[in-house]
Amino acid sequence: MKTVTKPYRVRDEFADSIKERRINMIVETREDIAEADLVNATLWKYLNQITTKDVMKYREEVLKKD
């Protein structure tokens, strides 16, 4: 499997949540868990479920775009 590094901007609220969850996971497992692992696991688990409607709703409700 090829690993490609590609930077994406993440909203502050998501970055804060990632850091918080990471700390909780480290406490739970006593193993270092990288933020990238948490983000990639989220994508791995949910990316195939997201719909265009979800993205449009996010843009409208969170980004306040029409």
Side-chain angles (χ1 to χ4, degrees), residues 1 4-6 10 12 14-17 21 23 29 35 37 41-47 49-51 55 60-61 65:
M1 181 166 93
V4 177
T5 301
K6 188 163 184 172
V10 178
D12 287 341
F14 300 142
D16 292 342
S17 183
R21 287 205 178 260
I23 290 168
T29 64
E35 288 181 9
D37 288 340
T42 303
L43 291 169
W44 171 74
K45 186 168 183 177
Y46 297 109
L47 187 59
Q49 298 173 23
I50 197 162
T51 65
V55 174
E60 179 184 322
E61 293 181 11
K65 292 183 177 182

Side-chain angles (χ1 to χ4, degrees), residues 6-7 13-14 17-19 21-22 24-25 29-30 32-33 36 39-41 44 51-52 59-60 62 64-65:
K6 188 163 184 172
E13 66 218 51
F14 300 142
S17 183
I18 291 166
K19 288 177 187 176
R21 287 205 178 260
R22 176 180 178 255
N24 291 338
M25 289 177 178
T29 64
R30 302 200 189 284
D32 188 22
I33 295 176
V39 172
N40 282 306
W44 171 74
T51 65
T52 303
R59 289 171 50 100
E60 179 184 322
V62 177
K64 308 294 184 206
K65 292 183 177 182

